[in-house]
């Protein structure tokens, strides 16, 4: 009598649309959904997760079905987590295998098999401080938040740095942990959250777990074990923490919800940690608390729609109030011959006064290098990267022209390749030029530069931040990298040079981002006893972002730019999906574009922009073409996405190894 065979459908950590079927050998009959198995695919061994057990394998030759090799001792994946993976894969139009790979990177899988080291004495519980006392305003905010939670609404805490968001988070988390729950607390970057981490540790002691991608495998395993055991705790982590098994999820907190670091650009799943955490919370019935000083338009849209409740924390008790903002019109200054290099005389005077008081200055510029471009004064030619369609930046410290997209570089000879004349001129000023100018204007001040080049190593970055915090740097010139994180006690003047470069980006989110960035920078200036100032040099003093920053218009302009997004059908009013094709051959690209167009027609996607060329249309010798799909925010759209995914998979298969990526809700 032939034995009845059992088969298992297995999800493998690969970009595979189909589950692979394996037979269950004798002695392993106990395998069930969620169990980890070791199998072979195309000659390689993989760890995968069983998604289904069945009695037959229709369409497959039973003799060709390979058996499961072994059952690695990794704790099984819960049904709830499998369901969450499936939801994520559907939403972000990728495979469950890609989600599995993100959730259990190979290092974690391998480590999980290794036996746990003998448990030493439990980590000494730090002396636990009592929960902080709340001010009247904070108490009111706490009641409002708890009320919204009991109404099953998402809470959006709107408050600047120092307004007491952290106190509120702790108050919301504490009773839930005491009740045996587990709290997921997401932050954009762990390195920038050290101060927050320390405060949470003081209150929650050994109940605080920290999770991020830089943890070693044994450290990760420890967090996993603690969570799966179901013990009450708070896990503070970056976006990948959403993949942790959290059986007793009782609250999700997303700090700085607007931050674009929550988005994973590459590889798939191209998810937003905030949105994924909200999906997770809704599947588990856990409440969500978001926090930001500059809420995303998506969040504000949901407040207007009545889905979120906004709780304002206006007061700022660690500081003396928002830094005052002064706008300097550089068009006017140039006309009046009031500019000295990249700086207006007015700003230079402000810097001098600040230094004389023994205080510190931060100069922000969004472009690194000495000059963002060089140009030939004879023929007007601007040298570009041979592999990308972008101008080369001039770096004076090593006398090179460099591409900031692919890293290609060459020695700067000053000779124009187009006409042969000498004397190529650097145009504009990046951080390196500003540093040089400031050293010249303020020879006695200690000036340093903080950008991708000077902070190449983690140690250099930390050292410079420490030096600035301890006051051994007077002027720090920096890019975006300097906007987050630490508080500097003696920093009272933040200067933004050429703010215009923040506004001119061809991106529907440019204004939203510029406002967030400037607000964050403003938050760096001043302390309780030292009032802060922010000076912005710009050619567009009347730009809406600046008007909003100076409080000339607030809610009005906010709704104004939301109205603009509505008029032109941009998120949050539609769901944006971007298909990107990267291809070396122009001919193949043309064919791909035609094929994608007909797929979109077949799927009934009517609102499509494309094929369009992004601002940089060639990177590293590959031509880039995009399709922007504007899908309605209705439930029915899920089906369209599913069909589209199937057709795009077939297209990839037909062309063989072609680079077509799909990004849902791009940042
Ligand atoms: Zn020339
Ligand atoms: Zn390049």
């Amino acid at each position: 009598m032939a034995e009845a065979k059992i088969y298992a459908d297995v999800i493998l950590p690969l970009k595979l649309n189909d589950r692979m079927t394996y037979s269950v050998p004798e002695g392993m009959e106990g395998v069930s959904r969620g169990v980890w198995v070791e199998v072979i695919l195309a000659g390689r061994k993989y760890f995968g997760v069983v998604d289904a057990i069945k009695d037959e394998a229709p369409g497959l030759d039973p003799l060709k079905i390979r058996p499961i090799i072994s059952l690695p001792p990794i704790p099984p994946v819960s049904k709830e987590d499998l369901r969450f993976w499936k939801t994520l894969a559907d939403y972000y139009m990728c495979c469950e295998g890609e989600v599995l790979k993100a959730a259990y990177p190979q290092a974690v899988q391998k480590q999980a098999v290794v036996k746990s080291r003998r448990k030493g004495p439990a980590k000494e519980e730090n002396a636990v401080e009592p929960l902080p006392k709340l001010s009247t305003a904070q108490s009111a905010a706490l009641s409002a938040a708890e009320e919204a939670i009991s109404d099953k609404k998402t809470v959006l805490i709107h408050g600047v740095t120092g307004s007491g968001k952290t106190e509120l988070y702790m108050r919301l988390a504490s009773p839930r942990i005491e009740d045996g729950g587990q709290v997921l607390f997401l932050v954009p970057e762990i390195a920038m959250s050290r101060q927050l981490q320390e405060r949470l540790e003081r209150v929650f002691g050994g109940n605080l777990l920290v999770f991020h991608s830089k943890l070693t495998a044994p450290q990760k395993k420890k967090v996993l074990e603690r969570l799966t055991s179901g013990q009450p705790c708070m896990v503070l982590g970056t976006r990948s923490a959403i993949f942790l098994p959290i059986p007793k999820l009782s609250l999700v907190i997303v700090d700085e919800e607007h931050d674009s670091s929550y988005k994973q650009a590459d590889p798939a799943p191209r998810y937003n940690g905030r949105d994924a955490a909200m999906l997770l919370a809704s599947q588990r019935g856990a409440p969500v608390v978001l926090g930001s000083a500059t809420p995303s338009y998506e969040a504000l849209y949901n407040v207007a729609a009545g889905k979120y409740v906004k709780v304002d924390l206006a007061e700022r008790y660690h500081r003396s109030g928002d830094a005052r903002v002064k706008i300097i019109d550089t068009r006017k200054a140039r006309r009046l011959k009031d500019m000295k290099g990249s700086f207006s005389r007015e700003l230079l005077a402000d810097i001098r006064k600040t230094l004389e008081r023994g205080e510190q200055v931060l100069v922000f510029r969004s472009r690194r290098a000495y000059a963002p471009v060089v140009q030939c004064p004879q023929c007007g030619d601007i040298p570009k990267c041979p592999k990308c369609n972008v101008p080369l930046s001039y770096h004076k410290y090593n006398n090179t022209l460099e591409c900031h997209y692919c890293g290609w570089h060459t020695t700067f000879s000053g000779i124009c390749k187009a006409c042969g004349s000498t004397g190529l001129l650097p145009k504009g000023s990046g951080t390196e030029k500003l540093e040089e100018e400031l050293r010249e204007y303020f020879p006695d001040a200690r000036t340093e530069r903080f950008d991708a080049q000077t902070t190449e190593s983690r140690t250099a970055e930390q050292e410079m931040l420490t030096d600035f915090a301890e006051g051994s740097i007077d002027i720090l010139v920096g890019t975006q990298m300097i906007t987050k994180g630490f508080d500097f006690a003696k920093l009272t003047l933040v200067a933004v040079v050429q703010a215009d470069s923040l506004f001119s980006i061809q991106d529907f989110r440019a204004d939203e981002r510029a406002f967030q960035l400037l607000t964050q920078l403003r938050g760096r200036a001043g302390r309780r006893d030292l009032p802060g100032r922010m000076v912005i040099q710009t050619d567009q003093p009347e730009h809406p972002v600046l008007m909003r920053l100076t409080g000339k218009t607030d809610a009005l302009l906010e709704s104004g730019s939301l109205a603009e997004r509505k008029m032109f059908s941009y998120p949050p009013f539609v769901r944006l999906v971007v298909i990107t094709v990267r291809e070396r051959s122009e001919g193949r690209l043309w064919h791909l574009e035609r094929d994608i167009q007909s797929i979109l027609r077949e799927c009934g996607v009517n609102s499509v922009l494309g094929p369009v060329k992004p601002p940089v249309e060639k990177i590293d010798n590959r031509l880039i073409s995009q399709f922007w799909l504007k899908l309605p925010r209705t439930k029915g759209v899920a089906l369209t996405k599913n069909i589209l995914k199937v057709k795009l998979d077939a297209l990839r298969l037909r062309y063989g190894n072609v680079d077509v990526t799909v990004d849902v809700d791009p940042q």
Side-chain angles (χ1 to χ4, degrees):
M1 192 180 92
E3 263 180 78
K5 273 266 183 197
I6 326 176
Y7 301 95
D9 282 344
V10 177
I11 306 173
L12 294 174
L14 296 167
K15 187 174 161 50
L16 281 175
N17 290 304
D18 298 314
R19 311 235 176 322
M20 293 290 132
T21 302
Y22 292 88
S23 63
V24 180
E26 235 174 288
M28 287 190 201
E29 286 84 0
V31 293
S32 55
R33 188 159 186 247
V35 166
W36 285 85
V37 292
E38 187 180 17
V39 293
I40 290 183
L41 181 75
R44 276 198 60 186
K45 284 183 181 177
Y46 292 97
F47 288 155
V49 174
V50 174
D51 189 49
I53 296 287
K54 50 193 191 179
D55 306 330
E56 45 187 18
L60 296 174
D61 177 354
L63 294 173
K64 286 191 178 156
I65 298 178
R66 288 170 162 276
I68 291 169
I69 305 173
S70 73
L71 303 178
I74 307 175
V77 178
S78 69
K79 279 188 199 70
E80 290 78 18
D81 282 340
L82 282 172
R83 178 175 166 224
F84 177 54
W85 292 1
K86 171 99 175 78
T87 312
L88 270 191
D90 283 347
Y91 186 85
Y92 289 106
M93 297 173 73
C94 64
C95 328
E96 284 164 271
E98 289 169 307
V99 179
L100 166 67
K101 202 172 164 186
Y104 286 84
Q106 262 177 4
V108 174
Q109 295 181 19
K110 288 222 178 71
Q111 188 59 39
V113 183
V114 175
K115 263 201 206 143
S116 275
R117 258 182 273 149
R118 205 171 54 84
K119 286 203 180 83
K123 190 183 148 202
E124 220 155 297
E125 303 277 305
N126 308 330
V128 176
E129 277 180 15
L131 283 164
K133 286 224 161 55
L134 297 187
S135 68
T136 323
Q138 286 171 334
S139 298
L142 178 64
S143 320
E146 285 290 11
E147 198 186 314
I149 289 174
S150 54
D151 281 351
K152 306 261 177 247
K153 299 268 169 83
T154 293
V155 179
L156 170 66
I157 300 176
H158 179 212
V160 295
T161 317
S163 61
K165 283 195 295 265
T166 310
E167 284 80 358
L168 225 54
Y169 296 150
M170 291 195 279
R171 286 282 182 165
L172 288 161
S174 174
R176 290 173 171 87
I177 295 173
E178 267 166 31
D179 276 358
Q182 298 176 321
V183 175
L184 174 63
F185 191 141
L186 290 186
V187 287
E189 288 165 70
I190 214 79
M192 299 303 170
S193 309
R194 202 151 299 147
Q195 284 168 341
L196 171 68
Q197 188 186 326
E198 283 165 13
R199 291 189 63 196
L200 293 174
E201 241 155 32
R202 284 203 296 274
V203 169
F204 296 106
N207 281 339
L208 181 74
L209 312 175
V210 179
F211 185 86
H212 51 88
S213 56
K214 302 264 157 59
L215 288 187
T216 62
Q219 287 171 323
K220 281 186 178 167
K221 192 186 176 192
K222 222 169 157 187
V223 174
L224 276 175
E225 282 174 349
R226 179 79 192 268
L227 282 166
T228 39
S229 73
Q231 289 174 66
C233 61
M234 172 188 278
V235 51
L236 177 72
T238 48
R239 61 170 185 254
S240 60
I242 58 152
F243 296 116
L244 290 169
I246 312 179
K248 297 205 171 149
L249 187 68
S250 63
L251 174 67
V252 170
I253 298 169
V254 184
D255 195 24
E256 308 288 345
E257 62 83 23
H258 65 273
D259 199 301
S260 52
S261 313
Y262 279 124
K263 174 77 180 181
Q264 167 148 315
D266 245 340
R270 296 180 177 80
Y271 66 100
N272 183 312
R274 172 199 61 197
D275 301 341
M278 295 190 68
L279 270 175
L280 178 72
S282 88
Q283 288 193 346
R284 304 287 174 83
V288 179
V289 175
L290 308 172
S292 176
T294 52
S296 63
Y297 282 13
E298 277 77 5
L300 294 173
Y301 170 88
N302 282 310
V303 170
K307 284 188 193 160
Y308 297 4
V309 171
K310 181 150 88 83
V311 175
D312 287 295
L313 267 175
E315 116 196 60
R316 181 164 149 133
Y317 69 120
H318 282 316
R319 295 162 181 269
S320 55
D322 278 338
R324 271 184 301 132
V325 179
K326 178 164 83 176
I327 311 280
I328 294 177
D329 183 347
T330 32
R331 292 168 311 184
K332 197 168 141 200
R334 273 193 296 271
R335 230 175 16 246
L336 300 172
K337 303 261 182 292
D338 253 349
M339 293 292 285
K340 191 174 172 190
S342 315
F343 297 86
S344 65
R345 289 187 193 279
E346 192 177 348
L347 173 54
L348 289 176
D350 286 335
I351 295 177
R352 180 164 300 112
K353 273 182 243 155
T354 308
L355 294 175
E356 278 167 7
R357 285 195 301 268
E359 295 162 11
Q360 293 172 301
V361 180
L362 180 71
V363 176
F364 173 83
R365 170 78 172 108
S366 59
R367 302 294 298 268
R368 64 188 184 96
Y370 188 85
V373 292
V374 292
Q375 191 172 27
C376 171
Q378 299 301 321
C379 72
D381 185 62
I382 292 174
K384 287 186 171 175
C385 172
K387 293 156 81 183
C388 313
N389 183 31
V390 288
L392 292 166
S393 297
Y394 171 54
H395 291 256
K396 192 175 181 183
Y397 78 101
N398 59 359
N399 194 44
T400 54
L401 290 177
E402 186 190 310
C403 171
H404 286 180
Y405 283 81
C406 73
W408 186 90
H409 52 90
T410 180
T411 307
F412 178 63
S413 64
I415 299 166
C416 173
K417 288 233 168 72
C419 73
S421 68
T422 52
L424 277 180
L425 281 180
K427 287 267 180 183
S429 43
T431 46
E432 197 187 338
K433 173 106 187 299
L434 296 182
E435 180 197 12
E436 184 184 273
E437 285 187 37
L438 288 164
R439 285 197 167 162
E440 184 193 328
Y441 307 150
F442 303 101
D444 297 331
R446 291 156 299 181
T447 303
E448 293 295 340
R449 172 162 54 95
F450 191 88
D451 59 24
Q453 182 233 318
T454 60
T455 60
E456 245 167 334
S457 77
R458 196 107 195 138
T459 5
E461 181 179 340
Q462 279 307 323
E463 264 171 33
M464 209 177 286
L465 287 172
T466 312
D467 283 353
F468 196 54
E470 286 171 357
S472 49
I473 295 174
D474 299 310
I475 307 177
L476 193 61
V477 183
T479 53
Q480 266 82 343
M481 292 176 67
I482 198 70
T483 57
K484 287 180 195 167
F486 301 87
D487 280 333
F488 302 109
K490 292 206 145 183
L491 173 62
T492 56
L493 176 62
V494 170
V496 179
V497 178
Q498 286 185 41
D500 308 83
S501 60
L502 299 174
F503 310 142
S504 54
I505 308 155
Q506 293 173 29
D507 174 0
F508 70 94
R509 285 191 209 272
D511 283 6
E512 184 185 1
R513 288 246 178 78
F515 180 72
Q516 287 163 354
L517 183 96
L518 292 172
T519 306
Q520 217 154 22
L521 274 170
R522 181 191 199 176
R524 302 265 76 90
R527 306 285 294 178
R528 197 192 327 234
D529 43 344
L530 293 172
R533 302 232 293 151
M534 182 180 204
V535 178
I536 299 174
Q537 287 195 166
T538 175
D539 279 355
Q540 304 165 66
E542 68 298 323
H543 195 283
V545 168
L546 297 177
M547 303 285 272
R548 203 176 141 200
L549 193 72
T550 48
K552 293 218 168 65
T553 42
D554 185 19
L556 224 156
L557 256 177
E558 207 164 72
S559 59
S561 36
L562 263 177
E564 214 169 76
R565 291 236 190 132
K566 187 173 187 180
M567 187 154 64
F568 296 109
S569 294
Y570 275 110
F573 297 94
V574 296
R575 286 240 175 269
L576 197 61
V577 174
V578 174
I579 302 175
T580 303
V581 188
R582 294 180 185 84
E583 173 57 49
R584 279 168 198 277
S585 142
E586 221 166 304
R588 226 161 89 106
L589 181 66
W590 188 88
H591 284 289
L592 272 164
E593 285 176 345
R594 296 302 158 282
D595 287 352
I596 290 172
Q597 275 174 322
S598 53
I599 286 175
L600 292 174
R601 266 195 306 274
E602 286 161 26
C603 293
V605 181
N606 300 318
S607 184
V608 181
L609 227 82
V612 288
K613 304 222 172 301
V616 178
E617 53 179 302
K618 190 174 98 178
I619 295 180
D620 212 2
N621 278 330
R622 295 197 300 169
L623 300 161
I624 303 167
S625 180
Q626 290 184 327
F627 292 84
W628 289 50
L629 285 48
K630 293 172 175 180
L631 304 176
R633 288 177 64 104
T634 50
K635 285 245 158 69
V637 86
L639 183 64
T640 312
K641 278 161 73 183
N642 277 341
I643 301 172
L644 180 59
K645 180 180 177 296
V646 171
K647 287 183 183 280
L648 287 175
D649 286 335
L651 172 97
R652 288 192 194 97
L653 216 60
R654 213 161 56 237
Y655 276 82
N657 209 17
V658 71
D659 191 351
V660 177
T661 57
V662 181
D663 191 356
V664 178
D665 302 337
Q667 268 293 315

